[in-house]
Amino acid sequence: MKCDLCEGQYLDKLVVRNYKRHGKTIIVEAVPALVCDRCGDMLIREETIAALDALLSKDAKPRKYAPVYRFRAKVA
């Protein structure tokens, strides 16, 4: 499938998605998506979004934990 933005080709890939739920950051790995090989535009199918919503609505415990860092930049 061709990208509407740059005429590149969408390829099936597994991506990492970040979400905010109840003030917490949740990271979901291995989410199937179509990603443009030129500009990086990403499309996620409706059934994948429904599955993500179902996963995030559960009170499931995460399988992994990752450190989170906040970059403290000074505004010029």
Side-chain angles (χ1 to χ4, degrees):
M1 180 164 92
K2 268 197 176 181
C3 176
D4 290 334
L5 302 175
C6 74
E7 300 294 316
Q9 289 293 319
Y10 283 103
L11 304 174
D12 285 309
K13 297 218 175 194
L14 296 177
V15 299
V16 176
R17 301 289 298 159
N18 301 320
Y19 299 93
K20 283 277 199 185
R21 291 285 194 261
H22 308 294
K24 294 182 180 180
T25 300
I26 299 170
I27 300 168
V28 182
E29 297 177 314
V31 177
L34 294 170
V35 181
C36 177
D37 64 352
R38 288 179 72 193
C39 72
D41 185 49
M42 186 183 324
L43 303 175
I44 299 178
R45 292 182 173 93
E46 259 185 69
E47 58 270 13
T48 303
I49 292 171
L52 284 167
D53 285 344
L55 174 69
L56 296 174
S57 68
K58 295 179 185 177
D59 286 331
K61 300 230 183 229
R63 294 172 55 184
K64 297 180 189 176
Y65 293 91
V68 176
Y69 299 92
R70 181 179 304 266
F71 182 75
R72 302 228 185 252
K74 292 184 180 179
V75 179

